[in-house]
């Protein structure tokens, strides 16, 4: 059984930074894909970034390119989302998700069966 747990959310002013962490327990394979998603109030959940555990080029949504960076520490089974130059429109509940195998549609939430509970990020103007 794979479980993922997010942490690191909080309140930050516009232009500031936050780093989210996603810890995964249970079986892990180099072919696993871990994604970050977010849901803003009144909006659908959207994919933000994704990375393959075994390495490779990360995928980013256009709205966060150049500001967010996804990285991982495989020894700690943890994936990070470094968020810089935060904007009020980045305010959302952020979720970490894991899929075991497959690289198609990395930012499509229906491809991920394992989800964390989410961590709130609020950016004030």
């Amino acid at each position: 059984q794979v479980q993922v747990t997010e942490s690191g959310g909080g309140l930050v002013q516009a232009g500031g930074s936050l780093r989210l962490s996603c810890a995964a327990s249970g079986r892990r394979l180099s072919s696993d894909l871990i994604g970050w998603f977010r849901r803003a109030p009144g909006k659908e959940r959207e994919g933000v970034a994704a990375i393959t555990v075994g390495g490779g080029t990360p995928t980013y949504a256009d709205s966060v390119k150049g500001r967010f960076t996804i990285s991982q520490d495989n020894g700690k089974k943890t994936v990070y989302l470094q968020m810089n130059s935060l904007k009020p429109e980045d305010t959302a509940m952020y979720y970490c998700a894991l899929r075991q195998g497959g690289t198609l549609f990395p930012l499509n939430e229906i491809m991920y069966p394992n989800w964390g509970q989410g961590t709130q990020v609020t950016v004030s103007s």
Side-chain angles (χ1 to χ4, degrees), residues 53-75:
V53 169
T57 303
T59 302
Y60 296 96
D62 288 343
S63 58
V64 305
K65 281 181 181 177
R67 300 188 299 122
F68 290 12
T69 302
I70 189 171
S71 62
Q72 59 188 325
D73 182 335
N74 285 334

Side-chain angles (χ1 to χ4, degrees), residues 19-101:
R19 188 177 79 160
L20 305 183
S21 298
C22 172
S25 63
R27 189 193 75 148
R28 288 282 300 276
L29 299 176
S30 61
S31 58
D32 290 349
L33 194 65
I34 293 182
W36 282 100
F37 296 79
R38 67 185 181 186
R39 176 179 282 147
K43 296 186 178 180
E44 294 185 353
R45 188 156 54 187
E46 63 171 343
V48 174
I51 191 168
T52 303
V53 169
T57 303
T59 302
Y60 296 96
D62 288 343
S63 58
V64 305
K65 281 181 181 177
R67 300 188 299 122
F68 290 12
T69 302
I70 189 171
S71 62
Q72 59 188 325
D73 182 335
N74 285 334
K76 295 182 180 179
K77 294 186 177 181
T78 301
V79 171
Y80 304 99
L81 185 68
Q82 178 67 44
M83 306 185 295
N84 299 329
S85 302
L86 282 162
K87 306 174 182 180
E89 51 263 43
D90 294 316
T91 295
M93 183 71 78
Y94 283 71
Y95 299 89
C96 177
L98 184 148
R99 54 189 269 196
Q100 294 172 325

Side-chain angles (χ1 to χ4, degrees), residues 104-121:
L104 293 178
F105 311 114
L107 298 183
N108 189 327
E109 62 172 321
I110 68 172
M111 305 298 288
Y112 290 79
N114 303 292
W115 290 83
Q117 294 300 308
T119 186
Q120 178 68 38
V121 172

